[in-house]
Amino acid sequence: MTTSSTTEKNPNSTDSVIEQYLLQKSPFHLLYPPVEKIKTIVLENFPALGKSTALRFLEWVQQNPGGVISLPTGKTPEHFIMWVKQLLSTWDTPYTQEQLAKYGLNPQIKPDMKSLHFVQIDEFYPIDSSQKNSFYSYVNHFYIEGFGLDPAKALLIDSSSIGLKEGQTLTSVWPEQEVDLTLRYRQAATPLEREQQSVLARIDQWCQEYEDNIRALGGIGFFLGGIGPDGHIGFNVRGSDHYSTTRLTETNYETQAAAATDLGGIETSRKRLVITIGLGTITYNPNCVAIIMAAGEAKALVIKNAIEGEKDVLIPASSLQTLPLARFYVTRGAIKKLEERQFHLFQSKADATPEEIEQIVIDLAVKKRKSLLKLTKDDFVGDRFGAELLKKTVRPVAETTQEIHDRLVQRISHGREVLSNTRFLHTEPHHDDLMLGYLAGITRNIRDASNTHHFVTLTSGFTAVTNRFFLTQLEKAKLFLGTEEWMELLREDYFDPTNITNRNRDIWRYLDGVAANNEALKDEGVARRMLRNLIELYGQSDLDSIQTHILEIETIIQSAYPGKKDPVELQKLKGMLREWEAECLWGYSGWSCENIHHLRLGFYTGDIFTEEPTLSRDVPPVLDLLKKVNPDVVGVALDPEASGPDTHYKVMQAISEALRLFSEETGRKDIKVWGYRNVWFRFHPSEANLYFPVSLNMFSVLQAAFLNTFLSQKEASFPSYEYDGPFCDLAQAIQVNQYQILKTCLGREWFHQNPSPLIRATRGMTFVKEMTLEEFHQHSRSLRAVAENR
């Protein structure tokens, strides 16, 4: 048996017609031995990744009727599922027949989905399998029903029944929804623990039998999965044995953070264990086609470790090196750290672009820990990218480094500038994106009173508000309801939804409490706004009606499981709570509700797979706002390749289309676009051209404002896998790191001895990409064209 794909006579050969087609369209080989140890297909972006894996899957099914498949859950397979369903449902149409033939598939053989055996990869434990956010429910809906598989041939993980005897339920066995695995080897101390101990033993027996059933089928023939932030495959987290089998096990923080969205918050996912097939389960069949999908620069390091690293328990995906047919299907962003591929791509070009030159030189300075002006020709010659750059350029090294040095200085100088008589429209997909993205740039330009700023959030953002937090805010409203202060406000028609002045008074009351460090004032501000929202939503302001609605809401929340999709009314109220937080934030800088806008675009529904924005529904609200503001500068969150969070990409497309229409109607071509990124994506210094210096004072503003206004995110229920704490701390860490890069490139003396106090005080840096309208449209069009596979 072949033990590694690197031992094949031609490491870049493949029997898959789909992979042959993809490789013909790609600038990359399938493998770069001996550094790379798993073959890799590179796609342009996340949607293209889905289509390619769908075609490869259908090719395999054509060739392996009756085979064993195991497919992923979560958001990663969104486009895979969409394309499989679309191709199967339109298989016999002329257009699909033509497309299948183009890719090399036999249009005459429709895949026999009923013949397949399905293996569920993993599941949370304990979780009621009837919950919509259970993976059991997911695979039944999207795969068994969606693909037309035979349920009798499916091996599924039903947590509601595994290990339980008649009369037992998950709630009776695990009343706190927490499982203590130490019961596997210690004595039980109570009757409940003895019962739990017996259940654990039966679960372990079930897991062994599940493994036996998979192996009795010959093992998995086609495995498709994502890769977690710690490199996990299935729920085989960092440290998993490469010969591991199906088991009940714990996870780590990175995995819990990634699972928080599925389970309704990190506070729930911290408690959940998982049942997962093992790495040994996946690799049992030596002929298994095991494909790992990955998108985005955030996955670049784990991809590098998996493809280039040695087999190691700290690199779960390295276990796939034993499979000749193992593959990574990844996006351009995900291979940013695969040096062989990046070098091959650069080497194949006749010339180097200014951005490529800049990136290589900056990376060399950081690697050598030398300022740009101290880099020598020997430094370039000793670096493979540097040496190749010298071949492509005829300029002396000193001229190149001086030019890049001056360019960086100019970008910082540009960031120091304060514009005047300028109309800003700062847009964000979610309510804290602007703050985490480029607060320093916004604040600097707020200080000139001739400027006008408008802040707009394009989605409701209700999914970020947990039931637990919402109830705490609702409790403050209940305490205020019926008081003399409440009655006085009611008499003056304070809660009239059309009265912007009184809406602003909610904010001022809360901020007065922040300034005075007075919890009672802050709670009153929260209560006023919560009651205002209830009155606006239901159209009733009398005490009995409000109390009735509050009771109804509490009943809905208390009967819901964590992660359950909220009814529309609760979605609206949670979204209004996020809007209140944004209004309090910009109230910090003196802006009132007249300049703060909430568009609540319709594509944002809270479903696991959200819709694409539409021209008729999602673009007109943005266009109307552009007409109202008539901006000179528009801030936009830039998603680099349409990977998660996908809301960023969809919002960007709606803004791009609205700007195009606005420009055509008004003739305005002079609008500047400030593309920013935050805790989810980062710019390389060469990708940005506007650097905002960030001082310790600004970091203090960032932290205080975030913790005082974004109360729902103070202990984020949906945190970043990188940091177990508030987003403001992570944003600061990123900005400090970006400053350190520039300090290395320019030299610490440039900062510490600079004549500008602002530069001397700089301890962080925010990167922004300033674009003309045409440059922004080109960026958006190129992403969309590939996403739609035009």
Side-chain angles (χ1 to χ4, degrees):
M1 182 183 73
T2 303
T3 59
S4 173
S5 58
T6 59
T7 63
E8 296 176 20
K9 183 176 292 186
N10 181 359
N12 284 292
S13 65
T14 174
D15 293 330
S16 164
V17 295
I18 297 300
E19 291 182 348
Q20 290 172 13
Y21 177 89
L22 296 174
L23 288 169
Q24 289 172 3
K25 302 293 183 180
S26 172
F28 299 104
H29 297 316
L30 192 58
L31 188 73
Y32 291 83
V35 176
E36 294 185 355
K37 302 171 179 65
I38 300 179
K39 294 179 176 180
T40 301
I41 299 286
V42 181
L43 289 310
E44 287 298 319
N45 61 23
F46 188 46
L49 187 64
K51 183 175 184 179
S52 301
T53 50
L55 288 163
R56 180 66 183 99
F57 169 65
L58 293 175
E59 177 189 27
W60 184 89
V61 177
Q62 280 186 334
Q63 299 167 352
N64 297 272
V68 182
I69 63 172
S70 199
L71 304 176
T73 52
K75 284 186 173 292
T76 300
E78 173 182 4
H79 294 279
F80 165 78
I81 291 170
M82 180 192 73
W83 276 108
V84 170
K85 290 178 67 174
Q86 180 173 321
L87 290 169
L88 288 174
S89 63
T90 63
W91 189 274
D92 296 322
T93 64
Y95 177 77
T96 298
Q97 290 274 299
E98 180 184 335
Q99 289 292 304
L100 295 169
K102 182 181 80 170
Y103 282 95
L105 287 183
N106 186 344
Q108 306 306 313
I109 304 176
K110 187 174 183 178
D112 183 3
M113 306 304 288
K114 287 285 186 185
S115 71
L116 299 173
H117 295 268
F118 181 87
V119 173
Q120 185 174 336
I121 298 174
D122 46 28
E123 180 60 282
F124 300 112
Y125 188 86
I127 191 171
D128 189 331
S129 60
S130 66
Q131 293 181 194
K132 295 295 184 182
N133 60 342
S134 72
F135 290 161
Y136 179 89
S137 176
Y138 183 109
V139 299
N140 271 286
H141 176 66
F142 289 109
Y143 294 137
I144 307 301
E145 297 173 16
F147 287 6
L149 304 178
D150 184 350
K153 295 178 181 178
L155 295 177
L156 302 181
I157 305 174
D158 181 358
S159 289
S160 296
S161 62
I162 297 172
L164 299 180
K165 289 184 175 180
E166 186 176 351
Q168 289 180 325
T169 65
L170 288 175
T171 303
S172 68
V173 176
W174 315 108
E176 302 300 322
Q177 296 290 295
E178 292 187 66
V179 180
D180 182 1
L181 289 184
T182 66
L183 286 168
R184 278 177 170 158
Y185 54 82
R186 69 171 175 85
Q187 287 190 338
T190 66
L192 178 59
E193 283 196 345
R194 283 193 289 275
E195 183 179 13
Q196 292 172 340
Q197 196 172 56
S198 297
V199 170
L200 280 177
R202 290 192 291 273
I203 292 174
D204 290 340
Q205 177 63 26
W206 181 93
C207 289
Q208 177 177 300
E209 293 170 359
Y210 191 79
E211 184 76 20
D212 290 342
N213 289 332
I214 296 171
R215 298 191 178 208
L217 291 170
I220 297 169
F222 185 94
F223 176 88
L224 180 66
I227 186 167
D230 70 323
H232 71 245
I233 303 296
F235 274 128
N236 295 281
V237 300
R238 185 180 58 251
S240 295
D241 189 329
H242 286 195
Y243 297 98
S244 56
T245 56
T246 304
R247 65 205 184 279
L248 173 68
T249 185
E250 297 173 318
T251 58
N252 52 20
Y253 170 73
E254 296 99 317
T255 302
Q256 292 160 6
T261 302
D262 297 311
L263 292 172
I266 187 71
E267 58 274 7
T268 302
S269 61
R270 285 189 198 275
K271 300 178 182 179
R272 291 290 183 270
L273 303 186
V274 294
I275 296 174
T276 182
I277 63 174
L279 296 173
T281 316
I282 299 168
T283 59
Y284 172 73
N285 179 358
N287 297 314
C288 175
V289 173
I291 297 177
I292 303 300
M293 297 187 291
E297 296 175 22
K299 294 290 180 71
L301 183 57
V302 295
I303 295 302
K304 174 181 174 62
N305 291 338
I307 293 175
E308 296 183 350
E310 298 299 325
K311 288 188 65 182
D312 195 300
V313 294
L314 295 180
I315 310 173
S318 64
S319 62
L320 302 181
Q321 293 175 15
T322 60
L323 293 177
L325 296 178
R327 298 286 189 272
F328 269 84
Y329 278 47
V330 298
T331 63
R332 287 286 189 110
I335 64 164
K336 279 292 183 76
K337 294 186 181 297
L338 292 181
E339 187 173 306
E340 292 299 317
R341 289 177 183 266
Q342 296 301 330
F343 182 73
H344 168 82
L345 186 64
F346 182 61
Q347 190 180 43
S348 66
K349 295 181 177 180
D351 301 302
T353 65
E355 185 176 307
E356 287 173 331
I357 296 172
E358 193 172 306
Q359 179 177 338
I360 289 170
V361 175
I362 289 173
D363 288 348
L364 181 60
V366 173
K367 187 186 302 183
K368 294 291 184 180
R369 297 185 179 181
K370 298 171 68 173
S371 67
L372 293 169
L373 299 183
K374 292 182 179 179
L375 289 175
T376 67
K377 184 175 181 179
D378 287 342
D379 291 326
F380 281 79
V381 172
D383 178 83
R384 64 190 309 200
F385 285 91
E388 186 64 27
L389 178 61
L390 294 181
K391 295 178 183 177
K392 297 183 187 300
T393 59
V394 295
R395 299 175 64 191
V397 164
E399 286 187 18
T400 299
T401 55
Q402 183 68 58
E403 180 180 329
I404 295 174
H405 173 280
D406 294 345
R407 206 177 294 158
L408 297 185
V409 170
Q410 190 276 329
R411 291 170 186 171
I412 296 173
S413 298
H414 189 18
R416 288 173 53 198
E417 297 172 359
V418 177
L419 301 178
S420 298
N421 299 304
T422 302
R423 295 181 300 275
F424 291 85
L425 178 61
H426 306 284
T427 76
E428 57 186 351
H430 309 95
H431 297 79
D432 51 6
D433 286 329
L434 283 169
M435 180 183 211
L436 300 171
Y438 67 113
L439 181 65
I442 295 172
T443 302
R444 189 155 295 122
N445 285 283
I446 281 177
R447 290 170 181 162
D448 188 315
S450 69
N451 293 329
T452 301
H453 294 261
H454 288 262
F455 309 90
V456 56
T457 309
L458 284 89
T459 71
S460 170
F462 59 83
T463 58
V465 180
T466 64
N467 288 339
R468 183 180 65 173
F469 178 77
F470 187 84
L471 287 176
T472 65
Q473 304 303 91
L474 194 61
E475 193 63 31
K476 295 174 182 179
K478 288 167 62 179
L479 293 174
F480 187 66
L481 189 63
T483 63
E484 183 55 38
E485 292 86 349
W486 148 263
M487 297 303 295
E488 179 60 32
L489 292 174
L490 206 58
R491 283 191 289 269
E492 66 177 80
D493 203 19
Y494 177 86
F495 296 101
D496 176 7
T498 64
N499 193 318
I500 297 297
T501 299
N502 288 343
R503 187 178 181 88
N504 285 325
R505 286 173 60 189
D506 299 343
I507 301 168
W508 307 141
R509 174 66 75 176
Y510 179 79
L511 294 180
D512 284 347
V514 172
N517 198 23
N518 186 315
E519 292 299 323
L521 281 179
K522 289 194 288 186
D523 287 350
E524 184 181 333
V526 169
R528 288 187 183 193
R529 179 50 64 89
M530 179 64 79
L531 293 169
R532 178 183 301 282
N533 292 341
L534 289 167
I535 292 169
E536 179 181 339
L537 180 63
Y538 294 109
Q540 297 170 307
S541 59
D542 62 281
L543 182 61
D544 289 342
S545 295
I546 294 175
Q547 288 177 329
T548 298
H549 291 308
I550 288 177
L551 182 60
E552 291 171 350
I553 294 166
E554 289 177 329
T555 301
I556 290 171
I557 290 177
Q558 290 162 0
S559 63
Y561 55 79
K564 182 179 181 179
K565 183 179 177 180
D566 295 319
V568 173
E569 292 81 5
L570 187 53
Q571 287 181 357
K572 289 180 179 177
L573 286 171
K574 285 185 174 182
M576 288 173 164
L577 194 154
R578 290 290 276 148
E579 293 166 1
W580 152 255
E581 292 180 329
E583 289 171 10
C584 288
L585 168 65
W586 302 119
Y588 250 72
S589 301
W591 298 98
S592 57
C593 294
E594 292 88 339
N595 291 71
I596 304 167
H597 313 276
H598 314 291
L599 296 191
R600 307 177 187 176
L601 296 190
F603 77 83
Y604 189 85
T605 60
D607 295 315
I608 187 169
F609 302 140
T610 58
E611 304 174 32
E612 293 293 325
T614 65
L615 185 64
S616 60
R617 180 192 60 200
D618 299 303
V619 174
V622 187
L623 179 58
D624 289 343
L625 185 59
L626 288 169
K627 292 176 180 178
K628 176 181 178 180
V629 175
N630 191 24
D632 303 305
V633 176
V634 179
V636 182
L638 281 193
D639 184 323
E641 54 182 30
S643 59
D646 63 347
T647 303
H648 289 202
Y649 167 73
K650 292 171 181 177
V651 163
M652 182 186 70
Q653 293 296 345
I655 294 172
S656 177
E657 183 62 21
L659 275 171
R660 183 187 66 78
L661 294 172
F662 177 71
S663 178
E664 289 179 356
E665 289 184 23
T666 63
R668 288 204 59 187
K669 307 292 184 183
D670 59 333
I671 299 173
K672 293 180 180 178
V673 175
W674 283 1
Y676 67 91
R677 294 179 183 170
N678 49 39
V679 297
W680 302 108
F681 298 104
R682 294 94 193 260
F683 282 119
H684 186 278
S686 62
E687 296 177 297
N689 52 17
L690 177 57
Y691 303 162
F692 293 116
V694 185
S695 64
L696 286 173
N697 179 61
M698 183 53 62
F699 281 138
S700 297
V701 172
L702 171 69
Q703 184 175 67
F706 186 90
L707 296 179
N708 278 314
T709 60
F710 289 109
L711 300 180
S712 67
Q713 306 304 302
K714 195 171 183 177
E715 296 178 3
S717 289
F718 308 101
S720 166
Y721 65 88
E722 293 182 81
Y723 178 70
D724 190 1
F727 284 123
C728 57
D729 290 351
L730 179 56
Q732 179 171 334
I734 292 168
Q735 292 169 26
V736 167
N737 177 257
Q738 292 174 167
Y739 159 70
Q740 293 292 345
I741 292 172
L742 295 184
K743 189 171 77 167
T744 298
C745 289
L746 299 178
R748 65 177 182 274
E749 296 84 0
W750 189 88
F751 284 92
H752 297 169
Q753 299 174 17
N754 199 286
S756 166
L758 173 62
I759 299 302
R760 295 199 301 271
T762 297
R763 293 297 180 272
M765 200 69 68
T766 296
F767 295 159
V768 167
K769 184 177 180 64
E770 184 176 87
M771 297 171 282
T772 64
L773 270 185
E774 181 51 39
E775 288 170 336
F776 174 60
H777 290 323
Q778 179 57 41
H779 173 83
S780 179
R781 281 196 301 267
S782 62
L783 269 183
R784 188 167 186 173
V786 180
E788 295 177 351
N789 292 276
R790 288 177 177 169

